[in-house]
Amino acid sequence: MDLRFDPILSIALVLVGVHFIVPIVYYLYARFRLLEKPWNLSISDVYKPKVSIVIPTYNEAGVIRERLDNIYSQDYPRDLLEVIVVDSMSSDGTIDIVREWSYNHHDIKVKIISEEDRRGKAYALNNALRYASGDVVVIADADAIWPRDALSRAISILSDPLVGAVSCLKKPLKPGVMGVEEGYRQYYNILRIAESKVWATPVFHGELAVFKKDLLERIGGFPVDIGADDSYTATRIALLGYRAVIPEDLWVYERVPSRGYTSWRIRRAQHLIQSFTKIIPEIRRAPKQFKKILLVESYIHLVNPWLLPLATILLLTSATLHHNPTSIVVIGIGILLLTIKPYRTWITMQLYLIIAAIKNLYNKEIIWIKQSK
Ligand code: GDP
Ligand code: MN
């Protein structure tokens, strides 16, 4: 074997090394150092604010009734609740179902906003915000299901004066079907909780995202130029100096698309990338601990995925042009490892992020095709 020094191969190996080591070290640090930290929350049981639950809908006739029932059965005092359904021209009769449901449930206040055209979820949320009379505003996606105590537990965490926003962990409603989905969640959930313990997590979930309304107003509402209304809003609130947290035992169920899983994941990756990109100019103003989180997460979402194709190109160059056998072996190992599930999941996620970044150049998916779930 020819073992001469090959600079192209060396650079490729460094790129591969960095690509895997940064997220692994971050994960291990989160898992074994940060996760054992105390929450440092000062929770008050007397905090019972008026809550406006906003359900944005676009063609949710199949799930909206169950969603309203689910909210109705929350253990939070019903007289402190207001449900705002903001619909953007659904063509499947979503609004009629909401009207009928409201007619049959007089002991909960329901406001219905029917938009004249569809301008995206964030636009609709801002519309709802204008009608919200609560001190707390909740995003409650139509395709999620909350445990009975989800809202009251989120609100209790919000009672800490330093907490500005609270979100949840997610479970797919059909367990076991999504191998990739579950693997991804295990890795990310640890990070969400660890970051929350330190200060705030920059990734939130629209299935249950709770905000103090005065803070929403201070940041000018939800961002209409990007898709990640939940994550971006939480990040902005954290930048104001408030915590945006996901507690470790607040799970909600989410419907996962039965078809089109890949394009669903890619769209979500697009939205996250948009959020991290939009926040870059603000990072230097972040509170100290949150700054580190933002730097690492931005790097992991925006830069790190690209090291892989770059390394692959270098390895292929070295293998074909320089006939370096070591490069061929490295490529072979990279392919063989795909038989190992966590590695395969990771590579899949990197591909999604790369495709998402490219797609963002021509379609930001601010208005997206509804996927059947
Ligand atoms: P996903 O969870 O990322 O797949 O996104 P969904 O398609 O589930 O959308 C999240 C929530 O936003 C759902 O309740 C949708 O009905 C709602 N939604 C999506 N687009 C629009 C829109 O243009 N207007 C309104 N009002 N709601 C929307
Ligand atoms: Mn959804």
Side-chain angles (χ1 to χ4, degrees):
M1 216 151 84
D2 181 3
L3 285 178
R4 271 174 313 164
F5 177 72
D6 178 348
I8 297 186
L9 171 62
S10 312
I11 296 171
L13 290 179
V14 169
L15 293 179
V16 172
V18 172
H19 173 86
F20 286 102
I21 286 168
V22 173
I24 288 174
V25 167
Y26 187 54
Y27 175 78
L28 292 176
Y29 183 66
R31 173 82 180 69
F32 294 104
R33 280 289 152 76
L34 304 181
L35 217 53
E36 63 194 28
K37 281 185 175 239
W39 276 101
N40 288 329
L41 290 168
S42 61
I43 285 169
S44 147
D45 290 336
V46 294
Y47 180 72
K48 286 276 179 283
K50 203 175 163 218
V51 178
S52 300
I53 301 180
V54 180
I55 312 179
T57 57
Y58 179 70
N59 286 351
E60 300 288 5
V63 299
I64 191 66
R65 196 175 283 114
E66 196 185 340
R67 188 66 175 109
L68 289 164
D69 287 341
N70 176 235
I71 288 171
Y72 186 77
S73 62
Q74 289 293 303
D75 64 7
Y76 199 76
R78 206 167 284 152
D79 54 325
L80 294 175
L81 286 187
E82 151 186 279
V83 177
I84 305 178
V85 178
V86 53
D87 184 81
S88 310
M89 289 287 279
S90 290
S91 55
D92 64 351
T94 301
I95 281 296
D96 301 329
I97 298 172
V98 177
R99 284 214 182 88
E100 184 204 307
W101 188 94
S102 168
Y103 184 78
N104 293 322
H105 296 79
H106 280 291
D107 55 342
I108 188 164
K109 191 166 165 194
V110 179
K111 291 179 181 169
I112 300 174
I113 304 171
S114 215
E115 292 187 331
E116 298 284 301
D117 55 358
R118 186 180 180 199
R119 301 176 70 168
K121 182 183 173 188
Y123 186 90
L125 293 174
N126 282 333
N127 219 341
L129 196 54
R130 281 194 283 278
Y131 293 89
S133 64
D135 300 312
V136 168
V137 172
V138 184
I139 309 180
D141 284 358
D143 57 352
I145 293 288
W146 298 344
R148 228 175 84 80
D149 59 352
L151 181 65
S152 56
R153 293 193 26 216
I155 299 288
S156 94
I157 291 163
L158 205 64
S159 70
D160 183 323
L162 269 182
V163 175
V166 180
S167 192
C168 59
L169 300 170
K170 300 194 286 188
K171 274 189 190 145
L173 206 51
K174 288 172 283 185
V177 278
M178 307 314 288
V180 172
E181 184 66 15
E182 271 165 293
Y184 166 84
R185 292 276 161 79
Q186 278 164 17
Y187 174 78
Y188 279 84
N189 284 344
I190 297 284
L191 297 185
R192 295 295 78 80
I193 299 164
E195 293 167 344
S196 299
K197 284 198 168 185
V198 173
W199 184 254
T201 179
V203 181
F204 255 41
H205 303 131
E207 285 73 17
L208 171 63
V210 179
F211 302 100
K212 284 183 176 153
K213 194 173 77 180
D214 56 330
L215 298 179
L216 279 181
E217 281 163 352
R218 265 175 71 185
I219 61 171
F222 299 95
V224 290
D225 57 336
I226 61 168
D229 42 83
D230 36 26
S231 296
Y232 181 76
T233 306
T235 308
R236 284 291 305 278
I237 285 177
L239 285 169
L240 286 180
Y242 294 86
R243 293 179 69 179
V245 302
I246 293 183
E248 62 231 308
D249 44 6
L250 183 47
W251 292 91
V252 311
Y253 293 94
E254 145 181 69
R255 287 183 169 81
V256 173
S258 40
R259 275 183 301 144
Y261 175 80
T262 302
S263 49
W264 177 64
R265 271 258 81 97
I266 290 171
R267 167 167 56 76
R268 289 191 156 188
Q270 281 186 260
H271 291 169
L272 260 190
I273 288 172
Q274 290 162 14
S275 180
F276 282 114
T277 308
K278 193 170 158 72
I279 219 75
I280 286 175
E282 320 260 348
I283 292 183
R284 62 199 162 82
R285 266 178 275 161
K288 194 164 141 261
Q289 305 104 307
F290 189 51
K291 188 184 281 177
K292 291 182 200 149
I293 292 171
L294 273 183
L295 283 172
V296 179
E297 288 289 0
S298 304
Y299 168 81
I300 288 178
H301 285 88
L302 303 178
V303 182
N304 201 47
W306 294 92
L307 303 189
L308 270 189
L310 218 61
T312 309
I313 291 170
L314 292 178
L315 285 171
L316 288 173
T317 310
S318 155
T320 51
L321 260 50
H322 303 186
H323 306 291
N324 189 331
T326 316
S327 304
I328 298 169
V329 171
V330 174
I331 295 171
I333 293 173
I335 293 170
L336 265 182
L337 284 174
L338 287 172
T339 53
I340 300 170
K341 198 175 140 190
Y343 176 82
R344 191 166 63 238
T345 303
W346 179 260
I347 298 293
T348 310
M349 293 305 158
Q350 305 310 300
L351 283 179
Y352 290 166
L353 283 166
I354 289 168
I355 297 168
I358 296 169
K359 276 194 81 181
N360 268 343
L361 298 176
Y362 59 93
N363 178 2
K364 288 168 86 182
E365 295 272 5
I366 288 166
I367 296 175
W368 57 86
I369 295 168
K370 193 188 147 47
Q371 255 139 342
S372 63
K373 287 170 189 139

